[in-house]
């Protein structure tokens, strides 16, 4: 075929409807850069579809064993000195194409925000649990994270038949579960949960920044940056700081917030 007989818009529609090898090759040979870009865009999208499809390996394996409803679970905020730990559980339609989905830490804030909305819209079920600083101080961060995971799983409108969890093992679930190291980069469901947890927590820390502007929560989200620690030393801890975490604990003791 001779692609030059068609407009760029017509070629775009043709590639979208039937990207045959002959059509793609004709676009490659077309002297118009816009026609060549159509092929490059198509090839990039195909590579992204293949990458995302690979992220469903654990979900597909579960489905092959008879578990159709699979939830992914992940957290955000185990390490910060302030704010809650955020945990999300997500059940995705198997094979749903979510462009750019990945471990939330590998995504820009803009892409995370876009994916947050798309996941909420297209997921079969989502649930988010926030465990506050006071609870973290009382039971420790690991137990608080596990509590949040149980809350998120049991908060799903549809109860999953199997649960995939990033790194943590949950021993008291009524359904089978699997702990996957670096699961947020290996499972679409866990990656989706990591995005919901991260965006939810980031938004909350931005709200806290308006209440406690002296700490810079909007910038560092409660992590122990130099800016944050300097503010802690100057102003002491606020109600969302984790008093069991260092250096918050030592600073609080020095300032008389805690008994040594």
């Amino acid at each position: 075929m001779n692609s030059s007989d068609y407009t760029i818009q017509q070629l775009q529609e043709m590639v979208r409807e039937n990207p045959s090898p002959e059509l793609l090759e004709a676009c490659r040979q077309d002297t118009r850069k816009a026609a060549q870009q159509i092929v490059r865009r198509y090839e990039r999208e195909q590579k992204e579809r293949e990458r995302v499809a690979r992220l469903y390996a654990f979900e597909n394996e579960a489905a092959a064993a008879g578990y159709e409803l699979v939830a992914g679970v992940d957290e955000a905020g185990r390490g910060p000195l302030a704010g809650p730990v955020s945990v999300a559980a997500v059940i995705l339609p198997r094979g749903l194409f979510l462009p750019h989905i990945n471990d939330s830490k590998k995504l820009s804030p803009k892409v995370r925000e876009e994916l947050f909305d798309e996941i909420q819209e297209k997921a079969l079920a989502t649930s988010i649990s926030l465990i506050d600083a006071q609870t973290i101080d009382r039971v420790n961060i690991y137990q608080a994270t596990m509590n949040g995971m149980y809350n998120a799983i049991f908060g799903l409108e549809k109860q999953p038949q199997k649960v995939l969890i990033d790194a943590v093992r949950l021993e008291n679930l009524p359904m089978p579960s699997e702990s996957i190291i670096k699961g947020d980069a290996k499972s679409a469901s866990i990656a989706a949960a990591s995005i919901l947890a991260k965006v939810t927590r980031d938004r909350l820390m931005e709200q806290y920044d308006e209440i406690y502007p002296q700490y810079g929560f909007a910038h560092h989200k409660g992590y122990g940056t130099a800016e944050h620690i300097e503010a802690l030393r100057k102003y002491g801890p606020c109600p969302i700081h984790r008093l069991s975490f260092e250096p918050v604990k030592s600073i609080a003791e020095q300032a008389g917030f805690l008994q040594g």
Side-chain angles (χ1 to χ4, degrees):
M1 66 169 292
N2 187 353
S3 61
S4 62
D5 293 338
Y6 301 91
T7 67
I8 296 301
Q9 184 175 355
Q10 288 173 325
L11 289 174
Q12 287 175 331
E13 293 173 358
M14 291 164 67
V15 169
R16 185 163 51 247
E17 292 174 4
N18 182 26
S20 66
E22 294 79 13
L23 174 59
L24 295 175
E25 183 58 29
C27 289
R28 287 191 193 94
Q29 300 302 323
D30 198 304
T31 56
R32 293 171 294 177
K33 289 184 177 180
Q36 298 167 19
Q37 288 171 351
I38 291 172
V39 180
R40 288 195 288 270
R41 275 197 302 271
Y42 170 79
E43 291 173 340
R44 284 197 300 269
E45 182 177 324
Q46 289 307 109
K47 285 183 180 179
E48 179 64 2
R49 286 186 177 277
E50 291 169 5
R51 185 191 69 82
V52 172
R54 290 194 294 271
L55 289 178
Y56 283 93
F58 288 97
E59 289 82 355
N60 292 339
E61 182 180 331
Y67 305 116
E68 286 294 335
L69 290 179
V70 179
V73 182
D74 200 7
E75 53 75 28
R78 284 178 69 171
L81 307 180
V85 62
S86 174
V87 183
V90 179
I91 302 176
L92 294 176
R94 193 153 55 92
L96 173 67
F97 178 53
L98 292 167
H100 309 300
I101 189 168
N102 208 330
D103 170 6
S104 63
K105 295 184 292 297
K106 297 180 180 179
L107 303 173
S108 70
K110 181 177 184 293
V111 172
R112 283 199 299 263
E113 289 282 348
E114 292 170 353
L115 279 167
F116 181 94
D117 293 338
E118 190 170 5
I119 292 164
Q120 291 281 39
E121 176 187 349
K122 296 179 179 178
L124 298 177
T126 66
S127 175
I128 299 170
S129 174
L130 294 168
I131 307 297
D132 62 27
Q134 288 74 29
T135 303
I136 292 170
D137 288 336
R138 187 174 72 252
V139 303
N140 76 54
I141 185 60
Y142 182 71
Q143 186 62 51
T145 300
M146 287 200 298
N147 291 350
M149 288 182 169
Y150 283 115
N151 292 346
I153 293 165
F154 293 132
L156 289 164
E157 290 184 7
K158 298 176 182 288
Q159 278 301 284
Q161 297 166 314
K162 184 172 182 178
V163 177
L164 305 176
I165 312 159
D166 184 44
V168 177
R169 292 186 180 277
L170 299 179
E171 305 292 345
N172 298 314
L173 289 173
M175 72 286 288
S177 64
E178 185 174 356
S179 173
I180 304 171
I181 303 299
K182 296 185 178 178
D184 46 9
K186 298 176 182 177
S187 156
S189 300
I190 296 177
S194 79
I195 291 165
L196 294 196
K198 172 70 172 166
V199 172
T200 297
R201 188 180 188 281
D202 283 357
R203 289 176 178 177
L204 184 60
M205 295 307 293
E206 287 166 5
Q207 293 173 20
Y208 280 131
D209 185 70
E210 296 179 4
I211 301 171
Y212 310 108
Q214 65 270 38
Y215 297 98
F217 290 137
H219 307 136
H220 51 66
K221 305 300 188 290
Y223 283 87
T225 64
E227 173 195 6
H228 188 186
I229 293 172
E230 181 181 352
L232 261 173
R233 296 191 188 283
K234 184 175 181 179
Y235 300 106
C238 74
I240 69 164
H241 277 104
R242 301 174 183 179
L243 298 178
S244 58
F245 279 43
E246 290 291 0
V248 182
K249 183 178 180 181
S250 297
I251 292 170
E253 287 174 352
Q254 292 169 6
F257 284 86
L258 295 173
Q259 297 298 319

